[in-house]
Amino acid sequence: MYRMTDEEFESAIAEALDAMPEQFMEALQNVAVVWEEEPSAYHLGYDEEWGAEMRDAEGEDEFDDLLGLFDGLSIVERANGYDDDIPDVITVFKGPHERCFDSREEIVEEVGKTIIHELGHYFGLNEDQLAAMGYE
């Protein structure tokens, strides 16, 4: 496990975004990339009450390896009309990255993969398609 300060993690996200091909970044419309320390019950798809029950004996989330999440409509879903008042959001989770990887270099690399994976959902790719491309 490698711990990062919040500033270091923000820098890792900035590095990953800077490394994205320009055509991908230009194609994004009304998408925010943010980070949070840990996934919430909302991110994991259950209500707060059930979420409290999903902790192990040490109080850790049983689903604590969620690295990122795209919350919004893919560009395929937007084809029938889209009200872009509220941005779609890609959230990158700091705690799971720290627990899953052992160095700053690994975390930066995996943050990049996480963002690419979530951008894949924005562009309409499903989990199987992303896995076939090497972005599980």
Side-chain angles (χ1 to χ4, degrees), residues 2-19 33-37 92-95 97-98 104 107-108 111-112 115:
Y2 182 83
R3 297 264 185 209
M4 294 181 123
T5 66
D6 293 350
E7 293 77 19
E8 288 173 314
F9 195 70
E10 288 172 8
S11 177
I13 292 171
E15 286 179 44
L17 290 171
D18 288 344
V33 178
V34 301
W35 71 275
E36 292 196 22
E37 190 69 36
V92 182
F93 300 106
K94 181 180 177 221
H97 276 90
E98 290 176 327
R104 182 187 189 287
I107 291 174
V108 170
V111 164
I115 292 172

Side-chain angles (χ1 to χ4, degrees), residues 7-135:
E7 293 77 19
E8 288 173 314
F9 195 70
E10 288 172 8
S11 177
I13 292 171
E15 286 179 44
L17 290 171
D18 288 344
M20 294 291 151
E22 194 171 319
Q23 66 267 29
F24 289 131
M25 300 309 289
E26 289 175 356
L28 296 180
Q29 297 177 357
N30 204 29
V31 177
V33 178
V34 301
W35 71 275
E36 292 196 22
E37 190 69 36
E38 297 289 341
S40 68
Y42 169 80
H43 294 124
L44 297 171
Y46 52 77
D47 63 32
E48 293 293 336
E49 201 172 297
W50 188 56
E53 296 170 4
M54 297 307 293
R55 302 204 187 280
D56 64 19
E58 289 80 37
E60 296 290 326
D61 285 330
E62 290 188 26
F63 300 104
D64 65 353
D65 61 350
L66 180 66
L67 300 176
L69 182 72
F70 173 71
D71 189 10
L73 295 176
S74 71
I75 58 174
V76 174
E77 295 169 311
R78 294 176 182 202
N80 295 329
Y82 176 69
D83 178 12
D84 63 355
D85 289 342
I86 299 173
D88 296 327
V89 178
I90 292 172
T91 306
V92 182
F93 300 106
K94 181 180 177 221
H97 276 90
E98 290 176 327
R99 285 189 294 279
C100 291
F101 306 104
D102 295 324
S103 69
R104 182 187 189 287
E105 294 76 23
E106 282 184 301
I107 291 174
V108 170
E109 180 179 337
E110 294 300 325
V111 164
K113 289 179 182 178
T114 298
I115 292 172
I116 290 171
H117 180 101
E118 303 312 330
L119 284 173
H121 291 309
Y122 169 79
F123 287 113
L125 300 174
N126 64 34
E127 292 294 329
D128 292 336
Q129 292 168 314
L130 289 163
M133 296 170 62
Y135 294 105

